[in-house]
Amino acid sequence: MKEILTQLLFAALTICSPLVTAYIHKAAAAIDASTAEKVKNETIQRVCREITDAVANAVAAMNQTYVNDLKASGSFDKDAQAKALNGAISAAIKSLSKDALDYIKEISGDDTVGYLTTRIHAQIDLNKAAKAAQQ
């Protein structure tokens, strides 16, 4: 009787072992994919914060060193606006990491300047709204 139970147990283990191994492999793959997605999301969040900071800093620097003086003197015309925008774009690009620049190229279809232009205009609008709210 004991020998029959031993043989049945051995047969069950022989049959179940590949199934258990397959489930373990599948679970490990799911955990690995989940971890990879989490790392990717964290990287994207870090890069997005970097881009936001770079744009905000570029706009603030351009206002501090160029725009405010021209506005005070009444000579902030279209040419000066274009120069300020180009300066802000240049400052933002210089402060961004390779990862951030690669991310911008990926999501904008290689139009880094267009992407940054849009973000800079949005930041200027945010600054104007914040200033108006303070007054």
Side-chain angles (χ1 to χ4, degrees):
M1 181 78 164
K2 186 176 179 182
E3 190 175 309
I4 292 174
L5 287 175
T6 305
Q7 287 179 349
L8 284 174
L9 182 61
F10 181 73
L13 287 175
T14 304
I15 292 170
C16 292
S17 180
L19 292 174
V20 169
T21 302
Y23 284 122
I24 290 172
H25 180 68
K26 200 172 205 177
I31 290 169
D32 185 46
S34 173
T35 302
E37 187 65 28
K38 181 179 177 185
V39 168
K40 181 180 176 186
N41 288 341
E42 288 172 357
T43 300
I44 289 172
Q45 288 174 356
R46 178 188 55 80
V47 166
C48 287
R49 280 191 306 271
E50 179 184 343
I51 292 167
T52 299
D53 290 346
V55 167
N57 291 339
V59 169
M62 200 51 52
N63 278 339
Q64 182 68 29
T65 61
Y66 184 70
V67 174
N68 290 341
D69 292 339
L70 290 176
K71 283 184 176 179
S73 69
S75 58
F76 191 63
D77 58 9
K78 291 286 183 191
D79 290 335
Q81 288 176 357
K83 185 176 179 181
L85 176 62
N86 288 334
I89 292 168
S90 178
I93 288 173
K94 288 177 185 176
S95 68
L96 291 170
S97 67
K98 182 181 180 328
D99 286 345
L101 289 170
D102 289 345
Y103 178 73
I104 291 171
K105 287 178 184 176
E106 179 183 330
I107 64 170
S108 71
D110 278 339
D111 187 12
T112 302
V113 171
Y115 177 85
L116 289 174
T117 299
T118 301
R119 294 291 302 261
I120 287 167
H121 284 300
Q123 183 65 48
I124 291 168
D125 287 344
L126 285 173
N127 292 356
K128 286 179 182 177
K131 187 176 181 180
Q134 288 177 348
Q135 295 177 351

